[in-house]
Amino acid sequence: LPGNRSAVPGAMVMDKPTAYADASTYNNFYEFGTDKADPARNAGKLQTRPWTVAIEGEVKKPGVLDLEALLKLAPMEERIYRLRCVEGWSMVIPWVGFSLAELVRKVEPTGNAKYVEFVTLADPKQMPMVGSRVLDWPYVEGLRMDEAMHPLAMLAFGMYGEVLPNQNGAPVRLVVPWKYGFKSAKSIVKIRFTDRQPGTAWNKAAQQEYGFFSNVNPEVDHPRWSQATERRIGEDGLFAKKRPTLMFNGYGPQVASLYAGMDLRKFF
Amino acid sequence: MNLAAVNRVLLHPAAKPLLWLLCLVPLAGWIWGGFHGSLGANPAETILRGTGSWTLRFLCIVLVVTPLRQWTGLNALARWRRLLGLYVFFYSVLHFLAYAWLDMGFDPAAVVKDLARRPFALVGFLAFVLLVPLAATSFNRAIKAMGAARWQRLHRLVYAIALLGLLHFFWMRASKHRYDEVLVYAVVIGGLLGVRLWRRLQAAPSPRAAPVARNAQPSRVTGS
């Protein structure tokens, strides 16, 4: 899946990309198992064609978009983003896709649309863990409207110049590089525009631990993991000191203005 | 094989060195994996979790020894308890080292700050600290110097350590709602502590039937 170099400011970080083998075998995709190696083992059965994405809620043009139509919605761009997991590790991944804003503009949200909700596939026939009580399925994520419209928030269809491997969220996923990885919902089947903040999967599971915003923030710790530092997968040696985590994962110059005046300790 | 034969095998001079080597297999696995690059995408995490899991496993194993000995009459098992207990300590040292070195960059200030901020880590650290006096009094002279009764009372700390270790593990898994493995350890540890409590309650009402007399053992192995 080819893409042109993105011209969006901040979209091409200079960090060395993570090895494809690591990025495609060390995954959190709980529908396929809770171990990091499970998704690569179990996601092979996922049927990614035919695939549709329903557009619902506060929009002038609701409907069902076929994946083929979605792929043609805007020119494909390659973007090299840092990915910071809430567990304290990070990767650098060259994604292929386009700004989520392209889709949002096409479906014309009404004045009532304040948030965007992303609903992902929850099919027990294809996903062994759906039905377990690990999370309240389907996995739901959400963004505030201005976050969704930010050019760095992207819909990705590929990585490393290829179509997304199933375990990485095929056929279409969200990538929001300044937030912890779990905000970037995988295998999306529905995008809903709402006037109310969506109940997101991890927020519902543990409110004190996972906030709605979940911006990468070295100042606000998770009870289990210090967020001050991170280990870059495949690059930082076993005995290397962990590298400091950057506010907004280093995307502060582009996104900090979205949160001007907000207490980010409260709205974590 | 009858009981005496099994006891004889357990008492074979080679049995203890063999067990000693067997207990080093997990460590050998990480070293081998480190050199062959087979510890996965995040080797530090593999080692940190592995050392933690093996500490908990050795805790379960060492807690099995006394009930198993009492239940089967395989008294030779008592000879293995100290070795297994020291391996609990050994793997907990590796676990703490993995945390302090791989995660905290061997920076004492960072460790202190981190422990203060994360109760989950603090609970694990507390369990580790409580293991130190047990390891330090594991040789015969310490037992003699302390007296069997006092030594035994001190070593009952292992029950608290097991519960703290379990809480530490539960707390880690709670963040991702993965309780299946925690439940297995909880059942095992709960069962092993429950057996002891039950025996104690059974023994308590009648002072005449003191269990100590019936299971008379050299002083250093009577603690259960």
Side-chain angles (χ1 to χ4, degrees):
Chain A
L1 189 74
N4 298 319
R5 249 184 97 86
S6 178
V8 171
M12 299 296 274
V13 300
M14 301 309 288
D15 308 40
K16 181 169 156 257
T18 302
Y20 180 85
D22 285 342
S24 60
T25 58
Y26 189 75
N27 307 106
N28 280 324
F29 196 163
Y30 277 20
E31 286 83 341
F32 292 108
T34 50
D35 194 84
K36 294 280 190 303
D38 286 342
R41 265 198 297 262
N42 300 332
K45 274 181 280 174
L46 178 68
Q47 289 286 326
T48 57
R49 300 290 167 100
W51 191 277
T52 56
V53 178
I55 309 290
E56 294 181 0
E58 299 288 346
V59 282
K60 292 192 190 110
K61 293 180 174 169
V64 176
L65 278 172
D66 193 70
L67 184 66
E68 310 304 325
L70 205 52
L71 282 163
K72 285 188 211 122
L73 199 118
M76 288 293 162
E77 293 179 7
E78 177 161 82
R79 301 179 177 189
I80 305 178
Y81 282 171
R82 281 181 290 269
L83 171 89
R84 170 62 158 80
C85 178
V86 71
E87 297 166 340
W89 51 268
S90 62
M91 292 187 183
V92 177
I93 298 180
W95 301 105
V96 186
F98 48 74
S99 291
L100 171 65
E102 302 277 357
L103 171 72
V104 175
R105 272 194 289 269
K106 278 279 196 302
V107 299
E108 296 177 31
T110 69
N112 289 333
K114 302 281 188 289
Y115 294 90
V116 190
E117 180 182 78
F118 302 87
V119 182
T120 71
L121 185 71
D123 179 2
K125 287 200 283 293
Q126 303 185 72
M127 301 166 139
M129 287 298 278
V130 172
S132 78
R133 289 191 298 178
V134 171
L135 281 172
D136 183 11
W137 315 104
Y139 191 92
V140 171
E141 257 310 334
L143 295 173
R144 210 169 57 187
M145 203 61 190
D146 58 341
E147 296 177 321
M149 290 304 288
H150 194 282
L152 282 176
M154 83 184 284
L155 281 179
F157 304 87
M159 64 182 211
Y160 298 81
E162 290 173 22
V163 170
L164 280 178
N166 291 350
Q167 62 271 28
N168 291 79
V172 55
R173 67 170 294 171
L174 185 65
V175 183
V176 191
W178 69 93
K179 293 176 181 285
Y180 293 117
F182 66 85
K183 290 294 290 182
S184 296
K186 291 166 170 164
S187 306
I188 295 166
V189 293
K190 193 191 287 182
I191 300 177
R192 222 158 63 88
F193 294 77
T194 66
D195 58 352
R196 239 175 283 178
Q197 184 173 300
T200 59
W202 282 110
N203 184 243
K204 279 192 285 185
Q207 235 179 342
Q208 285 77 33
E209 302 190 5
Y210 307 95
F212 173 77
F213 288 96
S214 289
N215 293 313
V216 175
N217 186 346
E219 301 296 318
V220 177
D221 279 331
H222 182 276
R224 232 76 64 215
W225 305 290
S226 159
Q227 299 302 12
T229 57
E230 65 196 55
R231 182 176 284 110
R232 185 65 52 84
I233 297 297
E235 204 180 330
D236 294 344
L238 189 54
F239 299 106
K241 220 172 157 75
K242 287 168 84 178
R243 59 181 74 200
T245 288
L246 305 172
M247 186 66 205
F248 297 116
N249 203 18
Y251 296 95
Q254 291 83 31
V255 304
S257 59
L258 294 175
Y259 310 100
M262 276 174 73
D263 180 359
L264 295 179
R265 290 191 162 274
K266 201 169 151 213
F267 298 99
F268 60 88
Chain B
M1 271 202 289
N2 59 29
L3 200 64
V6 178
N7 255 324
R8 257 201 309 283
V9 170
L10 295 179
L11 287 167
H12 192 278
K16 212 162 163 184
L18 266 176
L19 179 70
W20 192 87
L21 280 176
L22 194 65
C23 292
L24 284 172
V25 166
L27 174 66
W30 300 316
I31 293 171
W32 193 87
F35 280 112
H36 290 78
S38 60
L39 294 177
N42 194 347
E45 186 191 63
T46 305
I47 291 174
L48 190 59
R49 293 199 177 162
T51 48
S53 294
W54 276 103
T55 305
L56 209 48
R57 279 172 206 153
F58 273 105
L59 252 172
C60 294
I61 293 169
V62 80
L63 286 174
V64 156
V65 172
T66 298
L68 190 66
R69 176 175 63 78
Q70 289 167 338
W71 184 48
T72 59
L74 287 169
N75 288 325
L77 282 174
R79 246 166 40 100
W80 289 4
R81 202 173 59 160
R82 169 162 42 183
L83 175 71
L84 292 166
L86 282 170
Y87 267 109
V88 177
F89 182 64
F90 177 71
Y91 279 100
S92 78
V93 168
L94 290 183
H95 186 50
F96 178 71
L97 271 180
Y99 158 75
W101 194 353
L102 308 183
D103 256 18
M104 295 290 131
F106 246 146
D107 177 357
V111 171
V112 170
K113 203 171 146 201
D114 189 55
L115 290 177
R117 285 207 293 202
R118 298 192 301 153
F120 145 74
L122 189 63
V123 164
F125 181 71
L126 188 61
F128 168 64
V129 167
L130 290 178
L131 273 169
V132 174
L134 306 200
T137 57
S138 62
F139 51 97
N140 290 344
R141 273 202 10 231
I143 300 163
K144 208 174 250 173
M146 289 180 72
R150 261 178 44 202
W151 182 89
Q152 196 178 333
R153 239 179 311 174
L154 174 69
H155 280 246
R156 287 208 181 105
L157 266 180
V158 72
Y159 309 142
I161 291 162
L163 293 174
L164 287 171
L166 188 63
L167 177 63
H168 178 61
F169 186 54
F170 164 82
W171 221 332
M172 184 196 57
R173 287 296 170 85
S175 65
K176 291 288 189 113
H177 291 223
R178 297 168 62 181
Y179 297 116
D180 39 354
E181 235 181 302
V182 180
L183 194 66
V184 173
Y185 285 107
V187 167
V188 171
I189 290 174
L192 291 170
L193 298 193
V195 163
R196 289 165 166 84
L197 192 66
W198 184 72
R199 281 184 76 93
R200 185 158 265 249
L201 291 175
Q202 289 268 302
S206 157
R208 281 174 303 149
V212 195
R214 197 160 51 83
N215 292 309
Q217 288 290 321
S219 60
R220 69 183 169 86
V221 295
T222 45
S224 54

